[in-house]
Amino acid sequence: DRRGRAPGAAVRTSRASRRGADGDSGYAGELRVPGPSPQSVGIAAPDKGRVSVVLNFLDAERFIDEAVESVYAQSFPAWELLLVDDGSTDGSTAIARGYAARDPERVRYLEFPGHENRGASAARNLGIAEARGEFVAFLDADDVWLEDRLKQSVALLQRHQDADMAYGETEYWYSWAGEAAPHADRVQPHWFAADRVVRPPELLIGHLMHTASLPSVSAITLRREAALASGGFLESFPGMHDDQAFLARFCLARGVYVAHECWDRYRQHPGSLSALSAQRGEDARARSLYLAWLREFLDAEEMRETRVWDALRYAERVSAYQGAGRRMKLMRWVLRARTRLRMALRPSGTLASR
């Protein structure tokens, strides 16, 4: 049994603002860059072929063991596990420290000074900054991976050097609850032809036009170098869609391999952040905040006369036509058709055609 209660060392951090690869916009994420520590001293270059698994958690004692064990069950052996504690007050801190104490060659426990809670984006950025691997993969503490998750995603990134990220389909996992499960498990489709490198900025356009589903964070593997260059996760971004903000900036400038395979299980339970947001009726406001941020970001990048801007305008307007009625469906269809026509009229081979 790898679970235990041994203590672990804290990682000292300092703020460092990094500009993204997409331009000098000032919207770059605030990666926490570690100061000298026993774990990071002398690390000059990433370990070729190795994956740094960033598992951030906050009060996750109910599920964290299962998440960690799914990493140990991987068919791909070249991994390290970074357990990033975002200020937990339950037993998950002791559980994570126990894993690190018993397997120090592969598992490290990280936390902020004073056991501070700084949010999921900051925790993921700390993991990226401390990572030693060539690749970084994320795993939420209440999710699990299937055994070939790392093997498949690393192979794709090694085969396709023009892709900086790879992800597959995700299973929405209800059956973990047994007879109490409210729904059957289902795999979320991509809604477009997969098993290929999607060139920028097509994924972002697809997300905004509702023709491409968003990946689960637990499905993503990326090159650590690309994660650093893109600025990481936006720690100052408010609300639920911090992962979408990260994906928007990343997909705007970088190729992504999208696989037609399921590699992870996204646990559905009433205590998750997304479930709590839905229960409180906060989804629409969170979406609105994300789109407002994206408008500012694209405006700062001077992208008003582009297909991405057209897609953003569609996403902003389509919310007024929600509903299952015939009139609402017609209005959505008309809006989508007008947007596609506007995109098609953009001059090809220029900035405006992006």
Side-chain angles (χ1 to χ4, degrees):
D1 183 6
R2 286 181 283 268
R3 178 170 171 168
R5 300 291 185 265
V11 170
R12 295 191 290 114
T13 63
S14 61
R15 275 191 183 276
S17 179
R18 294 175 182 253
R19 295 200 180 277
D22 306 325
D24 225 18
S25 68
Y27 285 86
E30 303 135 13
L31 274 171
R32 310 283 182 181
V33 180
S37 71
Q39 293 93 337
S40 60
V41 168
I43 303 302
D47 189 348
K48 193 76 171 174
R50 192 179 190 187
V51 181
S52 296
V53 179
V54 176
L55 193 161
N56 59 291
F57 64 95
L58 173 64
D59 296 337
E61 66 178 349
R62 185 181 180 189
F63 301 123
I64 190 171
D65 271 313
E66 198 170 356
V68 172
E69 293 301 327
S70 77
V71 178
Y72 273 96
Q74 289 299 297
S75 58
F76 181 86
W79 54 261
E80 66 165 349
L81 176 59
L82 308 179
L83 297 171
V84 187
D85 192 340
D86 191 25
S88 297
T89 58
D90 68 355
S92 53
T93 294
I95 294 170
R97 285 175 168 171
Y99 279 109
R102 279 186 308 280
D103 193 1
E105 293 298 316
R106 290 196 293 179
V107 182
R108 284 183 283 156
Y109 171 83
L110 311 177
E111 64 177 354
F112 296 111
H115 202 63
E116 186 180 358
N117 168 245
R118 296 186 181 177
S121 289
R124 290 180 182 128
N125 282 344
L126 175 56
I128 294 170
E130 279 283 323
R132 298 171 178 171
E134 179 184 2
F135 306 104
V136 175
F138 301 103
L139 176 59
D140 284 347
D142 51 356
D143 297 341
V144 298
W145 284 345
L146 303 182
E147 65 178 355
D148 288 335
R149 158 75 170 83
L150 293 181
K151 177 182 177 181
Q152 298 287 359
S153 58
V154 169
L156 288 170
L157 287 173
Q158 290 175 332
R159 192 178 309 134
H160 299 276
Q161 293 297 314
D162 52 343
D164 287 322
M165 176 189 291
Y167 69 84
E169 294 172 325
T170 292
E171 180 182 84
Y172 279 58
W173 188 27
Y174 296 92
S175 62
W176 70 270
E179 295 182 357
H183 305 287
D185 297 340
R186 63 180 178 85
V187 174
Q188 175 67 39
H190 295 307
W191 299 342
F192 62 89
D195 290 333
R196 63 187 177 95
V197 176
V198 182
R199 311 294 176 189
E202 295 306 320
L203 268 181
L204 178 55
I205 290 173
H207 295 161
L208 293 170
M209 293 290 292
H210 300 170
T211 57
S213 61
L214 285 162
S216 161
V217 173
S218 296
I220 292 172
T221 303
L222 64 162
R223 303 184 197 278
R224 179 177 181 268
E225 184 179 87
L228 292 170
S230 70
F233 289 82
L234 278 76
E235 298 175 24
S236 58
F237 187 82
M240 269 275 299
H241 293 279
D242 56 336
D243 56 338
Q244 292 192 33
F246 167 76
L247 288 166
R249 293 195 309 170
F250 198 96
C251 296
L252 186 63
R254 299 178 180 279
V256 178
Y257 192 97
V258 182
H260 188 56
E261 297 178 23
C262 180
W263 299 331
D264 68 291
R265 307 181 100 179
Y266 175 26
R267 191 189 305 266
Q268 304 298 296
H269 63 97
S272 69
L273 184 60
S274 57
L276 291 173
S277 177
Q279 292 166 23
R280 297 166 183 159
E282 297 172 350
D283 284 354
R285 181 174 179 275
R287 174 72 172 172
S288 179
L289 286 171
Y290 162 67
L291 293 176
W293 167 82
L294 185 57
R295 170 176 279 267
E296 280 193 59
F297 172 69
L298 294 177
D299 194 25
E301 295 293 319
E302 299 181 351
M303 295 192 69
R304 278 182 172 265
E305 298 301 320
T306 67
R307 292 188 302 124
V308 178
W309 189 265
D310 295 335
L312 170 65
R313 291 178 65 193
Y314 170 84
E316 292 172 330
R317 295 175 181 181
V318 76
S319 60
Y321 305 116
Q322 298 305 305
R326 181 177 298 178
R327 182 176 179 276
M328 291 294 100
K329 290 181 179 179
L330 176 61
M331 294 302 293
R332 290 197 296 272
W333 183 88
V334 170
L335 181 60
R336 184 178 290 113
R338 287 178 175 174
T339 301
R340 285 175 172 166
L341 177 61
R342 189 179 300 112
M343 289 178 175
L345 293 175
R346 296 283 185 198
S348 61
T350 68
L351 175 67
S353 68
R354 289 195 301 175

